[in-house]
Amino acid sequence: MKLSTKGRYAVTAMMDLAINDRNGPVTLAEISSCQGISLSYLEQLFAKLRKVGLVEGVRGPGGGYRLGKPVDKVTIAEIILAVDESIDSTQCQGTEDCHAGDRCMTHQLWEDLSFRLYEFLNGITLSDFIKRPEVKRVSVDQGSTSNHINKMFQPVTGSH
Amino acid sequence: MKLSTKGRYAVTAMMDLAINDRNGPVTLAEISSCQGISLSYLEQLFAKLRKVGLVEGVRGPGGGYRLGKPVDKVTIAEIILAVDESIDSTQCQGTEDCHAGDRCMTHQLWEDLSFRLYEFLNGITLSDFIKRPEVKRVSVDQGSTSNHINKMFQPVTGSH
DNA sequence: CTATTCCCGAGTGAATCACTAGGTATTAGT
DNA sequence: ACTAATACCTAGTGATTCACTCGGGAATAG
């Protein structure tokens, strides 16, 4: 689960597609000029997105890209995994007898954390963003219909 | 909020410190041989961690590194931010009149997501890991004392 | 004094990032 | 049939970052 600028480009581009879904395909030229990313670089990113079925291209004039799945099925984790390939957890992983014996359970702990992070990002879909189109920074409308998201805005109470 | 192998090194090293907290300082040589990371590279990482007060060094024989704060005050987000400096959200950010007008709210949406991710990682502390030392993959003990963590293992129900 | 540790800076090959350049394939409009 | 618009594909490139080596210091326990 890596996360870098490349992943950001992919996610924001996918958001763009999700927002303008009903108006037909979105061209890369639009996204490029709008987001200030190179066209050819976008093409490379979309090649990866297309390979895993997250988007589908429409050729010819009036063409562009459409989402390959319904907005509520596309998760942030998928998008990031498609372009920012995962971190290599090599390093004596599996064979945990690396040293003093009782140390070095950190691999396990990291995988725990990594899994949690994945679950978190896999619980957020594109629809969670386009649902509140102009509503900038929603302010905790209780009893929400969009489940599990607003939890993130809540407590953390104990720690800071 | 970037996340790469570098951040993983820092997090696992900090976990190591947290686990062996009571046995005096931990040397970089130990972490190095245990985790298969170069000693000098570790030194560079720990220089950054020291700069923000996450660790403190003890010189001389028997020295090493100690946590700079109580384990329950050190969050994953802090560690990652200390070594993996944040993603540049440049690109027409602020001036959102980049194109057709009603498009391009994606910056805002990205910042939303980025903030959520930060909150998530800032809600996990080192103590959440060392609390269950040998307990591999805890299985949802309800009514937990360690609040907000086990929520992550729960629903996501709707999406997949 | 000496060995052990942290501390510091400079340099290096490899990989990745974001991009440029130059194509080909498909299709809507005329 | 022609043209323009679009997706699609491959190769290369400078800049940056990654993970590392090397060569030193500075502090301190024994």
Side-chain angles (χ1 to χ4, degrees):
Chain A
M1 203 74 229
K2 202 172 161 187
L3 179 56
S4 71
T5 316
K6 201 169 173 179
R8 183 170 75 85
Y9 286 156
V11 169
T12 51
M14 289 292 284
M15 284 173 175
D16 213 327
L17 256 59
I19 291 171
N20 298 83
D21 201 26
R22 61 206 171 288
N23 310 336
V26 180
T27 69
L28 291 190
E30 287 176 279
I31 300 179
S32 169
S33 78
C34 173
Q35 305 221 20
I37 317 172
S38 142
L39 175 64
S40 212
Y41 192 44
L42 267 179
E43 283 177 342
Q44 289 165 41
L45 292 183
F46 271 75
K48 292 185 175 182
L49 295 174
R50 208 176 68 91
K51 202 167 291 174
V52 296
L54 281 173
V55 298
E56 52 188 25
V58 181
R59 289 180 163 188
Y65 279 98
R66 262 196 301 252
L67 291 178
K69 297 198 276 185
V71 279
D72 59 328
K73 297 291 184 219
V74 180
T75 75
I76 303 297
E78 279 180 293
I79 301 172
I80 290 174
L81 285 179
V83 296
D84 259 336
E85 70 275 10
S86 67
I87 286 179
D88 52 333
S89 292
T90 47
Q91 326 283 37
C92 100
Q93 153 224 38
T95 81
E96 308 212 5
D97 56 332
C98 30
H99 208 208
D102 65 342
R103 174 99 40 112
C104 284
M105 59 191 61
T106 51
H107 319 85
Q108 178 68 29
L109 297 182
W110 171 260
E111 274 166 24
D112 256 35
L113 174 62
S114 190
F115 175 72
R116 260 182 236 175
L117 179 58
Y118 172 78
E119 282 247 307
F120 174 63
L121 292 178
N122 205 45
I124 307 180
T125 72
L126 286 182
S127 67
D128 293 321
F129 288 94
I130 65 169
K131 256 174 194 164
R132 37 194 174 82
E134 258 72 48
V135 195
K136 319 225 161 186
R137 190 60 44 94
V138 75
S139 53
V140 191
D141 55 335
Q142 297 214 337
S144 72
T145 56
S146 76
N147 62 45
H148 70 271
I149 283 301
N150 287 358
K151 290 210 191 87
M152 303 309 150
F153 285 119
Q154 281 176 12
V156 185
T157 40
S159 12
H160 73 305
Chain B
M1 202 76 229
K2 203 174 162 185
L3 180 56
S4 71
T5 316
K6 201 170 174 180
R8 183 170 75 87
Y9 287 156
V11 170
T12 51
M14 290 292 283
M15 284 173 174
D16 214 326
L17 256 60
I19 291 171
N20 300 81
D21 200 25
R22 61 207 171 287
N23 310 335
V26 180
T27 70
L28 292 189
E30 288 177 277
I31 300 180
S32 170
S33 79
C34 174
Q35 306 222 18
I37 317 175
S38 142
L39 175 63
S40 213
Y41 191 45
L42 266 180
E43 283 177 341
Q44 289 166 40
L45 292 183
F46 271 75
K48 291 185 178 183
L49 295 175
R50 210 176 66 90
K51 203 168 293 176
V52 297
L54 281 174
V55 299
E56 53 189 24
V58 182
R59 289 178 165 189
Y65 279 97
R66 262 197 302 253
L67 291 180
K69 297 197 276 185
V71 280
D72 59 328
K73 298 293 183 217
V74 181
T75 75
I76 303 296
E78 279 179 293
I79 301 172
I80 291 174
L81 285 180
V83 296
D84 259 337
E85 69 276 9
S86 66
I87 286 179
D88 53 334
S89 293
T90 46
Q91 326 283 37
C92 102
Q93 153 223 39
T95 81
E96 308 212 4
D97 56 332
C98 30
H99 208 207
D102 66 342
R103 173 98 42 107
C104 284
M105 59 190 62
T106 52
H107 319 86
Q108 177 69 28
L109 297 182
W110 171 260
E111 275 166 24
D112 256 35
L113 173 61
S114 189
F115 174 73
R116 260 182 236 175
L117 179 58
Y118 172 79
E119 282 248 307
F120 174 63
L121 292 177
N122 204 46
I124 307 179
T125 71
L126 287 181
S127 68
D128 294 321
F129 288 94
I130 64 170
K131 255 174 195 165
R132 38 194 174 82
E134 258 72 50
V135 194
K136 319 224 162 187
R137 190 61 43 95
V138 76
S139 53
V140 192
D141 55 334
Q142 296 215 337
S144 71
T145 56
S146 76
N147 61 46
H148 69 271
I149 284 302
N150 287 0
K151 290 211 191 85
M152 302 309 150
F153 285 120
Q154 281 174 11
V156 185
T157 40
S159 8
H160 74 304

